[in-house]
Amino acid sequence: QDDCSEFRSQFEAGGRLSCTRENAPVRDASGKQHTNKCLMCADKLKKEAQRGGGTVQRNRLPPSERTNQVRCS
């Protein structure tokens, strides 16, 4: 069972998850304590994305293919 399933859809492509600052301590599988479940999941999902196993990597180009683009409005 994925204890962070409720936060996966909110995880942004930039590797961010917006969380509240409520104080409801929770521990992850390794025993590390986090301020709340959202912050625990943000840490977990970010690590997954860095390993390439998360949802974040889907639209990212490898560094060799990235260009410096300027946004115009």
Side-chain angles (χ1 to χ4, degrees):
Q1 178 180 339
D2 182 6
D3 55 342
C4 293
S5 60
E6 65 192 279
F7 297 104
R8 285 192 184 279
S9 64
Q10 300 170 30
F11 195 61
E12 299 172 5
R16 299 181 60 105
L17 179 62
S18 297
C19 297
T20 62
R21 294 181 181 253
E22 69 183 278
N23 189 15
V26 62
R27 292 187 186 276
D28 61 21
S30 70
K32 180 179 177 185
Q33 185 167 334
H34 301 269
T35 304
N36 59 46
K37 185 175 180 180
C38 181
L39 291 171
M40 176 187 75
C41 290
D43 190 43
K44 176 181 178 178
L45 295 173
K46 185 175 181 179
K47 287 177 183 175
E48 285 179 5
Q50 289 171 344
R51 288 191 312 262
T55 58
V56 173
Q57 296 293 326
R58 66 180 177 257
N59 293 324
R60 296 196 59 173
L61 293 173
S64 61
E65 295 181 29
R66 291 183 197 157
T67 60
N68 291 332
Q69 296 179 354
V70 177
R71 287 186 171 178
C72 299
S73 51

